């Protein structure tokens, strides 16, 4: 079944809101000072970062071509790159190499020989569940779109963890059912161990504190230290307001924009667009237009 308009807009706008509203709290004092200077549009709206930019690139590339074409997507990622969006250092180098003409297969392993294990593939993967309703196709698309910048197995499994979680939320699985499914989907030990912790907390209806979350799941820029964090926080806040989830993520600190983008996409998918806060952020209308494009695309025979 195709996702509803509420689910599509909820996922994309939830991601962008998490990113834009989380960005001022990301990183240390220097990052925050810089974002204070460059993180607002001329109309006074919060700007989003690389998380939303790469998600828009991914959707716009699929809508333009009619399918996921990794070469087209790699070029789109490269031409959208601007340092002001706060890209990870490795991804920035890869995108510059692609822009200079190197093929993405070589560029993706030019910085780290096994590829990046950052969370940059996971942060953009939730929306693939809106395009690919069948699990096998979703897994293939998640791997293909991740490999362009994040070839490391941990980054790819982090991306799968987020895209498959979105898939299960679209099917309205409960948190316990979702985690039971994910436990059979995820094979990387580092993520599997964290999934076990989340499952114990959810099954026992235990509300973990920010200190416990940071200590046991992480709040960093790697897929390993952020994907399970975002998933747990989203599941723990499914029946609470978006703003409450966001302030919890801010308390956890670290890579706030990306944890909020991933959790925001999951929360928005489960609760729908109408439940999101009505806060204006950069290019709000463009985000809605892309969501409408996805809705038309998902209804095509
Ligand atoms: C602040 C060694 C590796 C590695 C490997 C480390 C922005 C590097 C975005 C690298 C995202 C960092 C976030 C991030 C990440 C990765 N060996 N070290 N194989 N793989 N690292 O550059 O696109 O927020 O220190 O690929 O994943 O919003 O700089 O970036 O939240 O992890 O940065 O990995 O974005 P990158 P990314
Ligand atoms: Mg970012
Ligand atoms: Mg980030």
């Amino acid at each position: 079944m195709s996702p509803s308009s509420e689910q599509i807009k909820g996922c994309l706008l939830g991601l962008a809101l998490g990113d834009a509203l989380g960005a001022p709290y990301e990183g240390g004092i220097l990052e925050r000072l810089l974002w204070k200077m460059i993180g607002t549009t001329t109309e006074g709206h919060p700007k989003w970062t690389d998380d939303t930019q790469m998600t828009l690139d991914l959707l716009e590339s699929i809508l333009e071509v009619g399918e996921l074409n990794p070469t087209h997507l790699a070029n789109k990622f490269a031409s959208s790159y601007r340092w002001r969006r706060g890209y990870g250092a490795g991804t920035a180098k890869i995108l510059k190499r692609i822009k200079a003409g190197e093929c993405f297969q070589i560029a993706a392993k030019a910085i780290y020989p096994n590829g990046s294990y950052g969370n940059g593939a996971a942060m953009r993967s939730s929306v693939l569940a809106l395009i690919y309703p069948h699990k096998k196709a979703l897994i293939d698309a998640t791997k293909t779109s991740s490999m362009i910048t994040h070839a490391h197995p941990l980054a790819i499994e982090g991306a799968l963890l987020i895209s498959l979680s979105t898939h299960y939320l679209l099917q309205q699985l409960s948190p316990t059912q979702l985690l039971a499914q994910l436990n059979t989907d995820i094979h990387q030990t580092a993520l599997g161990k964290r999934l076990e912790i989340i499952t114990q907390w959810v099954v026992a209806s235990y509300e973990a504190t920010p200190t416990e979350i940071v200590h046991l799941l992480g709040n960093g820029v790697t897929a390993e230290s952020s994907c399970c964090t975002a998933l747990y926080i989203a599941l723990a806040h499914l029946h609470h307001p978006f703003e409450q989830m966001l302030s919890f993520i801010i308390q956890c600190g670290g890579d706030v924009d990306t944890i909020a983008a991933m959790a925001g996409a999951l929360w928005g998918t489960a609760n729908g667009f109408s439940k999101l806060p009505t806060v204006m952020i950069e290019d709000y209308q463009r985000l809605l237009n892309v969501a409408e494009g996805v809705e038309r695309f998902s209804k095509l025979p």
Side-chain angles (χ1 to χ4, degrees):
M1 208 176 66
S2 333
S4 67
S5 170
E6 273 288 303
Q7 289 172 320
I8 296 171
K9 286 187 197 155
C11 180
L12 181 57
L13 273 293
L15 184 152
L17 279 168
D19 179 20
L21 303 179
Y25 304 93
E26 188 265 321
I29 184 115
L30 285 179
E31 285 94 341
R32 291 179 187 207
L33 263 178
L34 176 66
W35 198 250
K36 231 182 168 66
M37 292 191 284
I38 65 169
T40 311
T41 66
T42 44
E43 297 86 23
H45 301 150
K47 281 190 187 174
W48 29 258
T49 77
D50 57 329
D51 308 54
T52 305
Q53 180 63 62
M54 295 189 99
T55 304
L56 284 173
D57 289 338
L58 175 55
L59 289 175
E60 287 175 346
S61 172
I62 294 173
L63 297 180
E64 273 168 51
V65 181
E67 62 183 5
L68 177 58
N69 177 318
T71 305
H72 186 274
L73 179 57
N75 290 330
K76 198 161 189 77
F77 281 155
S79 67
S80 297
Y81 170 77
R82 303 282 182 280
W83 75 266
R84 285 171 165 261
R85 291 281 182 207
Y87 287 74
T91 296
K93 288 182 192 146
I94 290 173
L95 296 182
K96 284 179 199 160
R97 293 177 83 111
I98 295 172
K99 191 155 193 194
E102 191 164 83
C103 71
F104 72 82
Q105 293 90 338
I106 308 244
K109 295 198 171 174
I111 314 303
Y112 307 110
N114 296 322
S116 166
Y117 50 60
N119 57 16
M123 72 193 186
R124 62 186 191 244
S125 72
S126 54
V127 295
L128 287 168
L130 308 171
I131 302 270
Y132 298 96
H134 301 293
K135 189 171 158 183
K136 166 85 177 65
L138 174 60
I139 291 173
D140 289 346
T142 306
K143 289 181 181 170
T144 303
S145 68
S146 298
M147 295 286 286
I148 297 169
T149 49
H150 291 72
H152 195 285
L154 266 171
I156 295 171
E157 282 236 322
L160 282 170
L161 188 137
I162 297 296
S163 69
L164 287 171
S165 295
T166 313
H167 173 75
Y168 296 134
L169 289 171
L170 286 169
Q171 297 180 341
Q172 300 183 340
L173 263 59
S174 71
T176 335
Q177 291 168 329
L178 179 154
L179 289 166
Q181 289 284 341
L182 274 187
N183 275 309
T184 67
D185 299 323
I186 296 301
H187 306 292
Q188 291 289 320
T189 331
L191 290 165
K193 275 197 218 146
R194 287 171 168 84
L195 274 180
E196 270 175 38
I197 297 171
I198 298 181
T199 308
Q200 282 172 19
W201 287 344
V202 169
V203 169
S205 300
Y206 177 71
E207 291 178 15
T209 63
T211 311
E212 287 168 326
I213 291 171
V214 174
H215 179 60
L216 294 167
L217 306 180
N219 65 352
V221 295
T222 65
E224 179 185 341
S225 64
S226 57
C227 295
C228 290
T229 308
L231 173 61
Y232 172 70
I233 295 175
L235 294 180
H237 288 83
L238 283 185
H239 302 295
H240 298 290
F242 184 91
E243 294 90 333
Q244 193 175 325
M245 178 176 77
L246 187 66
S247 61
F248 189 90
I249 294 171
I250 292 167
Q251 281 182 59
C252 291
D255 194 4
V256 176
D257 62 336
T258 302
I259 293 171
M262 295 190 285
L266 298 174
W267 192 101
T269 301
N271 288 297
F273 173 66
S274 310
K275 298 263 169 58
L276 288 170
T278 44
V279 180
M280 268 304 134
I281 54 169
E282 178 183 9
D283 273 352
Y284 197 83
Q285 192 54 46
R286 175 180 171 199
L287 292 159
L288 285 179
N289 291 346
V290 172
E292 279 159 19
V294 171
E295 194 180 344
R296 282 192 295 278
F297 186 86
S298 68
K299 290 200 176 115
L300 290 176

